[in-house]
């Protein structure tokens, strides 16, 4: 296993990154600064998180050369449409304070308005051709969404960012991604959503995960991150806590056995924590994304 993955267009991306969903705008810069000091070189944000400015500030403060940090952000559904999505790039790049975004993805499919989704993706293709972005992708796309998209596009998404943690592994989506040359990137990779949603047992309290961790002297979060990396996924755990930011990056000195990987796979409940992708509509989830 390496720490980098090569996307389907030849661009290299760190497999392990840092997420900032629900990180308040006023603490985002500090969290990302800590992550960069720890060694993370992939930061995942989104226009809808309202914290792209803090991400950009931390990257500038770090003093790292721009090409050493891989920036991923997402276009929100309210900005879908060809011209709107081109402008969404300007908004995100402006807030991040960069000329080029490494990976720009569509945050959700809009199944009831796939025409808008398609037009948004065409804008991503234009941005890619113009060198404004280095790679393009999608998020929360189910196999039928991928099929519909691929019927009308020449460029296969580099990444599909979907919910994957031991309690919800989406094997069908992972197989569909792999079959099309798309990298699966896990959101809520340590099952944060099983904890902050407050329903039932969280991944952090699961006895199987804990026992595997104990066998390696590692925490449940470290076991889950290692599981993603060994199974070939990218993972973007989020934390605002410096100790946990470091913990989640300290995963390169142990190896899970095939039996342990299978035991983690077997924890899948088939129950998603996030919204049902087919039910995403502008009416229920639309919201204005401010100008830069
Ligand atoms: P994660 O699986 O990353 O879990 C984050 C939660 O777990 C936070 O509450 C965090 O709290 C806590 N936590 C972090 N590290 C540890 C640890 N070592 N031990 C115990 N608890 C820990 O969930 P997210 O939902 O945040 O997903 C990660 C990223 O994925 C997001 O930040 C975002 O970038 C992306 N995402 C994308 C979505 C999409 O639709 N495309 C949807 C959801 C997320 P604390 O901060 O206090 O440490």
């Amino acid at each position: 296993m390496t720490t980098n993955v090569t996307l389907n267009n030849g661009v290299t991306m760190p497999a392990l990154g840092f997420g900032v969903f629900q990180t308040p705008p006023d603490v985002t810069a500090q969290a990302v600064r800590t992550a960069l000091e720890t060694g993370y070189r992939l930061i995942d944000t989104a226009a809808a998180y309202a914290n792209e400015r803090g991400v950009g500030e931390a990257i500038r403060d770090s003093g790292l050369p721009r090409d050493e940090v891989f920036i991923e952000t997402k276009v929100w559904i309210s900005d879908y449409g060809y011209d709107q999505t081109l402008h969404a790039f300007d908004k995100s790049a402006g807030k991040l304070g960069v000329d080029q975004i490494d990976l720009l993805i569509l945050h959700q499919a809009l199944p009831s308005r796939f025409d808008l989704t398609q037009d948004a993706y065409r804008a991503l293709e234009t941005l890619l051709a113009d060198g404004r972005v280095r790679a393009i992708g999608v998020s929360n796309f189910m196999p039928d969404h991928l099929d519909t998209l691929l019927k009308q596009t020449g460029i296969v998404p580099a990444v599909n960012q979907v919910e994957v943690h031991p309690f919800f592994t989406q094997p069908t989506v992972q197989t569909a991604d792999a079959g099309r040359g798309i990298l699966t990137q896990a959101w809520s990779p340590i099952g944060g959503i099983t904890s902050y949603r407050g329903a039932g047992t969280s991944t952090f309290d699961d006895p199987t995960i804990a026992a595997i961790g104990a066998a390696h002297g590692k925490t449940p979060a470290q076991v889950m991150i290692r599981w993603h990396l060994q199974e070939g996924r990218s993972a973007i755990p989020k934390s605002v806590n410096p100790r946990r930011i470091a913990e989640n990056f300290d995963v390169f000195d142990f190896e899970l056995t095939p039996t342990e990987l299978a035991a983690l796979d077997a924890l899948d409940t088939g129950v998603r924590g996030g919204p049902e992708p087919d039910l995403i509509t502008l009416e229920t989830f639309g919201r204005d994304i401010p100008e830069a």
Side-chain angles (χ1 to χ4, degrees):
M1 188 210 73
T2 62
T3 55
N4 282 326
V5 285
T6 303
L7 303 178
N8 62 14
N9 68 348
V11 166
T12 302
M13 181 183 85
L16 177 56
F18 184 70
V20 294
F21 173 49
Q22 300 185 112
T23 302
D26 58 331
V27 304
T28 299
Q30 186 52 48
V32 175
R33 265 195 293 272
T34 304
L36 293 170
E37 280 161 17
T38 304
Y40 294 82
R41 291 294 180 268
L42 157 63
I43 312 294
D44 176 71
T45 181
Y49 301 168
N51 57 16
E52 289 169 311
R53 269 182 227 286
V55 171
E57 187 187 321
I59 291 170
R60 280 189 299 284
D61 289 356
S62 73
L64 289 164
R66 172 66 191 87
D67 64 3
E68 284 186 23
V69 183
F70 192 100
I71 305 177
E72 174 172 3
T73 192
K74 316 184 190 80
V75 181
W76 187 239
I77 53 171
S78 308
D79 283 336
Y80 283 8
Y82 185 75
D83 291 334
Q84 293 89 331
T85 299
L86 289 180
H87 186 57
F89 168 86
D90 294 333
K91 291 198 275 189
S92 284
K95 290 171 192 167
L96 288 160
V98 298
D99 299 324
Q100 190 187 49
I101 290 169
D102 297 287
L103 174 59
L104 186 61
I105 67 178
L106 301 184
H107 206 140
Q108 301 275 353
L110 266 181
S112 59
R113 289 300 310 272
F114 214 84
D115 56 329
L116 282 178
T117 311
Q118 197 74 49
D119 289 344
Y121 194 79
R122 279 201 302 116
L124 297 192
E125 293 178 323
T126 298
L127 292 163
L128 184 67
D130 292 347
R132 312 301 305 276
V133 303
R134 297 174 64 226
I136 61 176
V138 295
S139 176
N140 300 308
F141 271 48
M142 298 297 100
D144 58 317
H145 305 146
L146 291 174
D147 287 341
T148 309
L149 185 79
L150 289 171
K151 272 188 202 129
Q152 302 169 57
T153 180
I155 300 176
V156 178
V159 162
N160 187 14
Q161 184 185 116
V162 292
E163 180 180 349
V164 185
H165 47 75
F167 289 0
F168 189 57
T169 62
Q170 307 213 65
T172 311
V173 176
Q174 292 199 51
T175 302
D177 287 347
R180 292 159 181 77
I182 301 169
L183 176 72
T184 299
Q185 185 175 53
W187 70 247
S188 244
I190 53 177
I193 197 162
T194 67
S195 168
Y196 57 67
R197 278 285 164 91
T201 312
S202 85
T203 48
F204 301 118
D205 298 326
D206 181 84
T208 301
I209 302 173
I212 293 171
H216 292 276
K218 290 286 178 180
T219 66
Q222 290 169 329
V223 167
M224 291 185 268
I225 293 166
R226 188 72 205 182
W227 167 71
H228 289 293
L229 299 179
Q230 285 187 223
E231 292 195 348
R233 290 180 294 275
S234 171
I236 45 169
K238 169 266 180 187
S239 181
V240 293
N241 175 299
R243 188 183 53 74
R244 291 193 284 269
I245 291 172
E247 175 186 326
N248 297 345
F249 201 72
D250 181 16
V251 295
F252 297 105
D253 60 352
F254 75 113
E255 179 110 14
L256 298 170
T257 66
T259 307
E260 289 167 335
L261 294 174
L264 292 164
D265 292 336
L267 296 176
D268 183 28
T269 62
V271 179
R272 74 171 70 249
E276 172 56 46
D278 270 324
L279 299 182
I280 301 291
T281 63
L282 282 170
E283 291 69 31
T284 43
F285 288 92
R287 91 172 91 127
D288 187 50
I289 301 297
E291 296 296 322

